[in-house]
Amino acid sequence: MTGSVEDSTHLNDNINVEFATPEKQEARAFLRERFLRVITGIVGKQAEFYLYENTQVSAQFRGCDVDCLEVFVRNLETPLGTIPEAVLRASDIIYLNIHDINKE
């Protein structure tokens, strides 16, 4: 190979510069802040979770992990009974519905 370490570093710098433009950083920060506001705004709300295999459960939303891979709930109502506290895998959730989201 004829490429030097400096050429490789220069190529990586160009890629990183495009990814980290001020406009893109600002857009990511805005979207991240909006996402965090939504998550904190629904903590404590009753939610219906629609899962695969045509399963529907409901529970009080308590939060999620930093990667949003796990959803923490309280009083999970399933077809087999109620579970006081549970963790749902985000990959199992198709969508969740929260009624009256604007009410305190």
Side-chain angles (χ1 to χ4, degrees), residues 92-103:
D92 291 337
I93 302 171
I94 299 171
Y95 71 95
L96 66 95
N97 188 18
I98 299 175
H99 298 288
D100 300 325
I101 195 166
N102 292 327
K103 292 184 180 178

Side-chain angles (χ1 to χ4, degrees), residues 22-57:
E23 295 83 15
K24 289 183 180 181
Q25 287 180 343
E26 187 174 332
R28 281 193 300 274
F30 172 79
L31 292 172
R32 181 69 177 166
E33 180 182 355
R34 181 173 277 187
F35 171 77
L36 292 173
R37 287 182 187 273
V38 168
I39 293 299
T40 57
I42 63 174
V43 169
K45 303 281 186 185
Q46 190 66 22
E48 296 172 350
F49 296 88
Y50 295 84
L51 312 173
Y52 288 100
E53 305 278 333
N54 200 24
T55 304
Q56 179 182 347
V57 296

Side-chain angles (χ1 to χ4, degrees), residues 65 69-74 76 83 85-90 92-93:
D65 67 343
L69 297 175
E70 296 177 329
V71 176
F72 311 116
V73 297
R74 183 173 287 155
L76 178 66
I83 301 169
E85 294 185 344
V87 176
L88 301 175
R89 295 180 302 206
D92 291 337
I93 302 171

Side-chain angles (χ1 to χ4, degrees), residues 4-29:
S4 68
V5 173
E6 292 172 2
D7 291 338
S8 176
T9 303
H10 180 68
L11 179 61
N12 288 337
D13 287 343
N14 287 340
I15 293 170
N16 291 337
V17 167
E18 182 179 321
F19 177 75
T21 62
E23 295 83 15
K24 289 183 180 181
Q25 287 180 343
E26 187 174 332
R28 281 193 300 274

